[in-house]
Amino acid sequence: MAALEMTTPDAAGNRPPKFSTKNVNVFYGEKQALFDVELDIVENQVTSLIGPSGCGKSTYLRCLNRMNDVVEECRVDGSILLDGHNIYDRSVDVVQLRAEVGMVFQKPNPFPKSIFDNVAYGPRIHGLTSNRAELVELVESSLIRAGLYEEVKDRLDNPGTSLSGGQQQRLCIARAIAVQPEVILMDEPCSALDPIATARIEELIDELRENFTIIIVTHSMQQAARVSQRTAFFHLGKLVEVGDTEMIFTTPQDQRTQDYITGRFG
Amino acid sequence: MTDLASNSAPRQTTERIAASLPRRYARDSRFRYYGLVAIGLALAFLVLLFVSIVSKGYSAFFQTEIRLLIEFDEDRLDPNGTRDPSVLAGADYGGLVKSSLRGLFPEAESRRDRKSLNRLMSSGAGFVLRDMVTNDPSLIGTAQEVWLPAAADIDMLIKGFIDRSKPASERRVNDKQIAWVDALQERDAIERHFNTRFFSAGDSREPELAGIWGAVVGSFYTLLVTILLAFPLGVMTAIYLEEFAPTNRWTDLIEVNINNLAAVPSIVFGLLGLAVFLNFFGLPRSAPLVGGMVLALMTLPTIIIAGRAALKAVPPSIREAALGVGASRLQVVTHHVLPLAMPGILTGAIIGTAQALGESAPLLMIGMVAFIVDVPTGPIDPATVLPVQIYLWADSPERAFVERTSAGIMVLIAFLVAMNLIAVVLRKKFERRW
């Protein structure tokens, strides 16, 4: 019941956060990568994480779907609540979590399979569809939502790796949304793409916002300014400042944020 | 001044680079030349090897046979006329051959001459007749012209490996035998025929009756056991160590030990098999089952090491992609990592099994060196394998085994080539465009 209450808007009309993280500390062996990060992610918004290299923004992102589990030395402390449930709780199944929190990576990484099979992989392993027709429909609607369908509808049997870089990345987005997650994590999704492909992805992110909560790590401050509603600035493993994107880029409260966005370091 | 200095600096650099170029190109072409020489040398030795083996061995594919008129005399084969198979099988067929020979050359009257005369024919000639009669009893009472195998010495004489100009005491055939052979040749009653027996029979003390088939079947069963044991075990070990095992002191220890095992001399595995499989578990001696188990132990490290290398070569981005859509760790491995690593794993498995195919030392330890005439019908029948058979023949004193040794090597190489072809086909099937 508590969880249900939390997901409904309160009296003031403020929606409860999708993710609510408190005192998140991450260690790689002896080395601490994140210090007491406290950050709420608002539903159906794009939140961008910015900061210089090595500041911990990717580490934080990978805590949200427990991708850090695969890193043997990695230890995560603190509470990360998704819809009020701690995802690091023993009772949480990591496979289930990753189906709810999808991820798009820095380098496009389609499977060496056909375009269709790439998108169909997630629904297949989770048994989301009961027959072939449903699967085809789900794959097509995912490709449509990822803005790729028109370009590939005649060659769904071609290998996903035969597409251009930007198309591959949209294929990866289609693959992520085919599982019908609630949150999509994007780890520098445009850093390997040219400006035109980047613009397409950014448009796409803006469209996807309606249905998904998106968290994006980016090195480009222009990109953060263009696509996100909220921005969080990380520095040396600490969350320095978080707020509405406009505010962060116009009137940052912290000197370090000011220095970073004006290009004095980073 | 400063202008001049800054202008001359780049020019100097260009000149230096230009000056160093001929030397660098010379080094390039020299290196390519060394490579060509190395490949040429290797090819030359390979050709030399093949030429020597084939030139020595091809004659074993033909066997001298002598045409005899055999009278299937009912009185001698089946005096009671019952056509009882056991009576037919036990009759004196050698006697038929001998009397036929005597009919051809009645001048051989002394005991010694008759003995020499009988030595023209292989002792297996009688068995050929026995098989004919038991297959078709209606032959009894008729007279047939039959091609029967000549003795190995006569075979060698016909093939030109026995020097007629040497004094009789220094060759294996005496003057009378040579005269008889010449007489037979004049009548076109002695010819070389394709040696089907070589490809269908097991080993024999008589070179002309010895065949490679027993060893081929033995090798087949041995390798079957080896592959069935070593491949799944090796691949699963590699997957566990590479994808699931935590890195701690235990896995380090296991890794070091696997690497050490790959370097253990093969005969040690044979001793281990002898002590554990034969003496402790009491498994049958000389059996392909035990041979395969020993060779599997030997092949395992190779497969594990190659398998781990192949798994490691799969880009981590694929693992992340699969994990990202919610695949379980096993699904990541079976759906994505393993198919991509399969060509590499297969290469390792083939190298391992090819090594096992050529291995004889560990098999000597578990009794597969025994003299076995029957072709094995299953993995627990006594058997020998191709390399051991070659070793046994190479060790035999008879001149006729020389060509059989080389022919055996040719069969071994053919077996190996066939195995590698299967592997290449499998690898092509698994290979995916990246």
Side-chain angles (χ1 to χ4, degrees):
Chain A
M1 277 314 281
L4 225 154
E5 277 163 30
M6 288 200 68
T7 51
T8 50
D10 60 18
N14 288 329
R15 274 180 299 184
K18 189 75 185 164
F19 267 112
S20 172
T21 61
K22 278 198 183 70
N23 306 327
V24 175
N25 288 292
V26 177
F27 304 84
Y28 289 112
E30 294 294 299
K31 198 176 155 278
Q32 188 165 4
L34 282 183
F35 299 84
D36 285 326
V37 174
E38 188 163 341
L39 178 61
D40 286 350
I41 307 288
V42 184
E43 196 168 10
N44 289 31
Q45 276 197 353
V46 179
T47 306
S48 58
L49 312 179
I50 60 168
S53 295
C55 68
K57 53 195 190 302
S58 283
T59 300
Y60 177 77
L61 191 76
R62 285 162 163 266
C63 289
L64 299 181
N65 68 344
R66 289 181 56 177
M67 278 301 267
N68 284 333
D69 285 15
V70 237
V71 184
E72 229 169 83
E73 304 222 289
C74 183
R75 188 159 60 80
V76 179
D77 281 350
S79 81
I80 301 177
L81 307 181
L82 171 63
D83 293 330
H85 290 292
N86 191 347
I87 61 168
Y88 277 87
D89 201 78
R90 266 168 187 278
S91 64
V92 169
D93 190 291
V94 68
V95 168
Q96 178 81 36
L97 171 73
R98 289 190 192 131
E100 284 164 27
V101 184
M103 189 155 186
V104 176
F105 297 85
Q106 184 171 1
K107 235 182 86 195
N109 54 358
F111 300 130
K113 299 174 185 245
S114 73
I115 293 170
F116 184 90
D117 285 340
N118 259 285
V119 184
Y121 181 68
R124 272 190 187 136
I125 58 170
H126 295 301
L128 297 185
T129 54
S130 48
N131 56 44
R132 174 85 189 170
E134 273 181 43
L135 183 66
V136 171
E137 204 190 309
L138 178 58
V139 167
E140 284 179 358
S141 71
S142 301
L143 284 169
I144 290 168
R145 285 162 94 182
L148 189 63
Y149 186 66
E150 285 303 314
E151 291 157 62
V152 300
K153 64 181 174 191
D154 300 325
R155 47 185 176 126
L156 290 176
D157 290 333
N158 287 16
T161 41
S162 67
L163 298 173
S164 74
Q167 288 173 326
Q168 286 190 16
Q169 195 62 297
R170 274 180 281 149
L171 179 63
C172 292
I173 293 174
R175 182 175 67 191
I177 56 186
V179 187
Q180 298 160 356
E182 292 159 25
V183 184
I184 301 176
L185 309 177
M186 297 188 175
D187 191 356
E188 298 179 42
C190 302
S191 65
L193 304 182
D194 65 69
I196 295 167
T198 302
R200 289 232 46 185
I201 304 269
E202 287 179 6
E203 276 170 40
L204 178 60
I205 291 172
D206 206 47
E207 289 162 21
L208 292 176
R209 177 159 67 92
E210 268 182 49
N211 300 305
F212 304 97
T213 306
I214 294 172
I215 305 164
I216 178 172
V217 165
T218 176
H219 268 297
S220 151
M221 278 167 286
Q222 290 87 341
Q223 184 170 62
R226 282 193 298 261
V227 301
S228 68
Q229 286 74 52
R230 269 165 69 84
T231 298
F233 173 65
F234 283 74
H235 185 56
L236 297 175
K238 295 192 176 87
L239 175 65
V240 175
E241 197 172 346
V242 59
D244 290 346
T245 300
E246 229 183 274
M247 189 207 82
I248 292 281
F249 281 97
T250 50
T251 53
Q253 305 296 306
D254 196 285
Q255 184 60 37
R256 287 170 291 180
T257 319
Q258 170 88 36
D259 289 350
Y260 183 71
I261 59 169
T262 52
R264 228 162 283 169
F265 69 88
Chain B
M1 277 312 274
T2 47
D3 265 342
L4 242 172
S6 61
N7 271 345
S8 69
R11 201 172 305 143
Q12 249 179 12
T13 322
T14 330
E15 274 166 16
R16 277 197 187 163
I17 292 173
S20 76
L21 279 180
R23 220 179 42 216
R24 276 147 66 180
Y25 287 140
R27 211 176 277 169
D28 267 15
S29 55
R30 232 172 335 172
F31 185 79
R32 228 172 310 161
Y33 186 65
Y34 293 151
L36 282 176
V37 168
I39 292 173
L41 266 177
L43 274 181
F45 276 111
L46 196 67
V47 167
L48 195 70
L49 176 80
F50 275 118
V51 166
S52 99
I53 289 174
V54 171
S55 64
K56 271 189 203 156
Y58 82 97
S59 53
F61 297 137
F62 298 94
Q63 165 69 33
T64 305
E65 294 190 329
I66 296 175
R67 188 181 60 203
L68 290 181
L69 184 70
I70 302 287
E71 290 187 35
F72 294 98
D73 195 349
E74 179 151 16
D75 291 343
R76 293 175 72 173
L77 296 178
D78 191 13
N80 302 327
T82 55
R83 298 290 188 270
D84 178 9
S86 62
V87 174
L88 289 182
D92 176 23
Y93 294 96
L96 294 185
V97 176
K98 283 175 190 160
S99 31
S100 170
L101 274 174
R102 221 171 303 150
L104 273 176
F105 302 106
E107 69 271 22
E109 282 180 344
S110 71
R111 221 178 113 78
R112 241 178 100 179
D113 282 357
R114 280 197 187 166
K115 215 170 167 185
S116 312
L117 182 61
N118 291 338
R119 283 218 188 115
L120 289 183
M121 302 307 298
S122 163
S123 61
F127 301 130
V128 176
L129 295 180
R130 185 191 62 195
D131 292 345
M132 282 175 72
V133 172
T134 44
N135 284 340
D136 182 12
S138 68
L139 284 173
I140 294 172
T142 65
Q144 303 278 336
E145 288 211 319
V146 185
W147 285 99
L148 293 171
D153 290 333
I154 305 303
D155 188 36
M156 290 296 101
L157 182 73
I158 294 291
K159 285 173 180 167
F161 294 129
I162 288 178
D163 189 357
R164 289 172 186 234
S165 61
K166 275 190 179 164
S169 58
E170 286 181 24
R171 45 178 147 82
R172 303 259 307 166
V173 287
N174 58 35
D175 292 335
K176 280 190 177 152
Q177 284 175 318
I178 292 182
W180 289 324
V181 167
D182 289 343
L184 284 169
Q185 256 175 328
E186 262 168 44
R187 287 184 230 168
D188 289 328
I190 188 161
E191 272 178 19
R192 276 191 273 173
H193 291 153
F194 183 72
N195 192 356
T196 46
R197 195 172 288 108
F198 183 73
F199 295 101
S200 60
D203 198 9
S204 170
R205 290 280 182 234
E206 309 298 330
E208 72 274 12
L209 300 177
I212 197 82
W213 188 243
V216 170
V217 174
S219 266
F220 172 77
Y221 282 127
T222 307
L223 280 188
L224 193 70
V225 173
T226 303
I227 292 171
L228 287 183
L229 279 178
F231 189 71
L233 267 181
V235 172
M236 283 192 283
T237 309
I239 289 174
Y240 179 76
L241 286 177
E242 201 54 49
E243 303 286 329
F244 295 98
T247 42
N248 57 28
R249 224 176 299 160
W250 287 112
T251 43
D252 283 351
L253 190 73
I254 291 171
E255 186 168 350
V256 169
N257 275 307
I258 289 170
N259 290 342
N260 280 342
L261 272 185
V264 168
S266 57
I267 193 142
V268 177
F269 287 104
L271 283 168
L272 178 80
L274 174 64
V276 177
F277 298 142
L278 297 190
N279 291 347
F280 187 74
F281 288 110
L283 291 171
R285 216 161 272 272
S286 310
L289 175 71
V290 182
M293 283 158 76
V294 169
L295 293 180
L297 286 181
M298 206 193 77
T299 315
L300 260 177
T302 315
I303 295 183
I304 295 173
I305 291 169
R308 291 189 67 176
L311 290 169
K312 215 174 262 175
V314 174
S317 65
I318 292 297
R319 292 187 179 84
E320 288 193 329
L323 285 174
V325 290
S328 69
R329 281 175 89 177
L330 187 65
Q331 283 172 327
V332 173
V333 171
T334 54
H335 294 170
H336 301 284
V337 178
L338 197 55
L340 291 173
M342 215 48 188
I345 294 176
L346 278 177
T347 307
I350 288 314
I351 292 172
T353 37
Q355 214 181 349
L357 173 65
E359 200 59 66
S360 53
L363 302 179
L364 305 186
M365 290 289 111
I366 54 152
M368 289 191 88
V369 72
F371 172 71
I372 288 146
V373 179
D374 292 326
V375 176
T377 55
I380 42 176
D381 282 359
T384 189
V385 291
L386 282 166
V388 175
Q389 184 67 77
I390 290 165
Y391 163 75
L392 285 172
W393 283 347
D395 219 25
S396 301
E398 286 90 346
R399 176 64 183 78
F401 273 125
V402 174
E403 56 175 26
R404 266 149 232 276
T405 306
S406 294
I409 294 171
M410 284 155 79
V411 171
L412 176 65
I413 290 173
F415 201 107
L416 199 67
V417 168
M419 246 173 64
N420 282 344
L421 275 181
I422 294 171
V424 168
V425 170
L426 279 177
R427 208 160 50 198
K428 278 270 167 295
K429 219 187 117 194
F430 279 115
E431 220 155 49
R432 292 202 206 185
R433 295 263 157 254
W434 199 240

